Amino acid sequence: MHLLDSYSQTFLSTGQERSDKQRENFKIATFSLVNSKLNIGVQNTGDIPINITRLWIQNTTTTDWFQTYSIRINVPPGTTASNVGQSLPLYINSSNSYNIKLVTERGNSQQFAVNSANSAPLNIQLLALPPNVASGFQSQLIMIITNNGSSTLTNLSPAPLPSPTGSASCAAGSVNPTRYNTLPPGQTAVFSWTVKATAPADGWSCTYTASLQNGYPGQSVKATITVSAIQLSSTTFAQNSGILTLNYTTMAWTQGGAWNTGWSVPGNTGTILKLNVTNNNATTNTNLYLSKNSQILLVGTQGSTTTPLYIVNNASSLSPLGIVPYTCGGPNDYCVSLPYGKQVTLFFASGQQQGGTGTMKKVPGPGHEAVAFLVIYGKYSTSQSSSGSMYGQSLPYMGFEFN
């Protein structure tokens, strides 16, 4: 009877141990190196406590190096034990690769690899999204890494991007994120860079080559970004917007003595308005020459009254106040040019096209309000006297109240 009872107890105990071993479940949650020592986070994903009793480590860079350490880490269900390995007399060389195994008291284990991206080729892709961009716009490099091995990878990060090859000018930003602490088998890591690409002509491109830090020797991936220049012609004007842009913060007006900012302007007085305009046309070697028809149009908000202030060459002085009519040599028009990507200060003051020196248009009288529109007429041409593609654009300027 004693023998039978002992056998029954042993059978029940063994069955319980087997059941507990099957219910035990944990994973490597985090990993880092702190002062060249292991810093492992272990998460108990099961429903019973676990007790980690041993740590096995092999330096795979030096095949005959192998160590075993006795530890005692208790992890209740649903919790994570941190700093595992910090108390061990073990120091890690970050340039080497290691296989590490944690073993529980019931015999279950989790194995992972440290700095082992160089032990075997990984599934790596590098994509440019989108692969074709207009000049001056951004694309994005996406590096996708899948752990096709059988152990968890740690400290996974891309190597710094080398300068791209190709005819286009491309500038990459910082990588995001900078690293993955752990990458379990079958899981994917994604890194990205924003890239600004510019080129003066269609079809220019730049090619980036990416790899992993401490990656498998010779393994790298490439992606190409192709740039399309924004070209303007008589058939494509309607397909592009924002060819001319205003710097609203630099708007100013004067009635003599000094330049002023703001929307409240003394009425019924000769006034000069100035503003900065940028030409965003990407057509190579083609400037925008402004016509004498260019003007700021003040449209009254209380009726249909309009007040045009035509373009002048400049405000030669403020005291005494004077303006230089919009005149020049050659055809005596298209006197001011806006090169691509450049900003030019424009002045508007005359009550008529190419108005006389010192004659400024009076703005509406006190008590009136007006919405201002900048109306630009011109031509895209290689010179002032040459024919070109005629172009016109209006831009909202700002509102004024005349006091």
Side-chain angles (χ1 to χ4, degrees):
M1 293 295 293
H2 283 298
L3 185 61
L4 252 145
D5 182 64
S6 176
Y7 174 78
S8 297
Q9 292 297 326
T10 302
F11 181 81
L12 292 173
S13 176
T14 302
Q16 184 64 46
E17 289 177 0
R18 288 176 179 173
S19 174
D20 289 347
K21 184 175 182 179
Q22 291 174 350
R23 293 168 58 196
E24 191 175 72
N25 197 7
F26 68 101
K27 69 176 184 178
I28 307 301
T30 61
F31 175 85
S32 63
L33 292 177
V34 178
N35 298 323
S36 299
K37 301 186 75 172
L38 297 174
N39 187 28
I40 307 169
V42 181
Q43 182 180 8
N44 184 349
T45 57
D47 57 4
I48 60 173
I50 63 173
N51 188 26
I52 301 173
T53 57
R54 282 170 304 191
L55 184 147
W56 306 71
I57 182 168
Q58 177 189 17
N59 185 342
T60 57
T61 308
T62 306
T63 55
D64 58 348
W65 189 95
F66 188 87
Q67 298 288 339
T68 304
Y69 296 92
S70 295
I71 58 177
R72 183 164 289 276
I73 306 293
N74 184 266
V75 190
T79 64
T80 299
S82 58
N83 303 321
V84 177
Q86 281 287 288
S87 61
L88 298 178
L90 170 65
Y91 291 88
I92 299 298
N93 185 339
S94 60
S95 62
N96 292 339
S97 298
Y98 300 85
N99 280 333
I100 297 176
K101 181 186 290 187
L102 293 174
V103 184
T104 68
E105 191 173 40
R106 297 184 180 93
N108 289 316
S109 65
Q110 282 286 343
Q111 180 174 329
F112 64 100
V114 177
N115 298 335
S116 62
N118 61 1
S119 60
L122 295 174
N123 186 344
I124 305 178
Q125 302 177 69
L126 186 65
L127 307 175
L129 301 175
N132 296 278
V133 296
S135 179
F137 287 78
Q138 288 186 342
S139 180
Q140 192 169 34
L141 287 178
I142 306 293
M143 189 179 190
I144 304 172
I145 304 164
T146 301
N147 183 358
N148 51 0
S150 58
S151 60
T152 299
L153 300 176
T154 61
N155 289 343
L156 198 66
S157 60
L161 279 179
S163 298
T165 60
S167 52
S169 176
C170 296
S174 301
V175 63
N176 182 46
T178 57
R179 65 187 294 170
Y180 277 70
N181 289 328
T182 62
L183 186 65
Q187 297 297 308
T188 297
V190 179
F191 299 96
S192 66
W193 301 258
T194 57
V195 180
K196 184 177 180 179
T198 57
D202 283 333
W204 288 27
S205 64
C206 59
T207 299
Y208 279 95
T209 301
S211 59
L212 288 175
Q213 291 198 47
N214 300 318
Y216 188 76
Q219 186 177 23
S220 61
V221 286
K222 295 184 178 182
T224 297
I225 300 172
T226 302
V227 183
S228 300
I230 301 176
Q231 302 290 339
L232 296 179
S233 67
S234 59
T235 59
T236 60
F237 284 148
Q239 301 173 19
N240 298 272
S241 61
I243 300 166
L244 302 178
T245 53
L246 284 175
N247 185 342
Y248 288 91
T249 62
T250 60
M251 165 270 171
W253 57 268
T254 184
Q255 295 175 343
W259 288 106
N260 307 281
T261 59
W263 46 265
S264 182
V265 181
N268 200 27
T269 307
T271 305
I272 299 175
L273 299 176
K274 76 169 181 177
L275 65 160
N276 293 326
V277 178
T278 300
N279 176 12
N280 301 305
N281 176 32
T283 304
T284 307
N285 299 325
T286 303
N287 297 340
L288 176 62
Y289 289 86
L290 300 188
S291 167
K292 60 186 178 183
N293 296 289
S294 299
Q295 60 188 274
I296 285 180
L297 189 63
L298 302 174
V299 181
T301 60
Q302 299 176 356
S304 58
T305 303
T306 60
T307 303
L309 277 73
Y310 288 96
I311 188 170
V312 295
N313 277 2
N314 58 64
S316 60
S317 65
L318 298 180
S319 182
L321 193 63
I323 58 173
V324 177
Y326 194 71
T327 58
C328 54
N332 199 25
D333 197 359
Y334 305 105
C335 302
V336 173
S337 66
L338 275 67
Y340 159 63
K342 300 296 183 181
Q343 180 174 272
V344 175
T345 300
L346 303 181
F347 299 88
F348 298 85
S350 176
Q352 58 185 359
Q353 295 175 0
Q354 297 180 325
T357 302
T359 304
M360 296 176 296
K361 178 71 173 181
K362 291 184 178 181
V363 295
H368 289 79
E369 296 176 341
V371 177
F373 293 91
L374 171 64
V375 185
I376 290 291
Y377 299 98
K379 63 179 179 180
Y380 281 102
S381 179
T382 56
S383 69
Q384 174 201 4
S385 57
S386 300
S387 61
S389 299
M390 307 301 287
Y391 179 68
Q393 181 180 346
S394 64
L395 296 95
Y397 185 31
M398 66 179 302
F400 290 103
E401 179 182 80
F402 302 103
N403 52 57

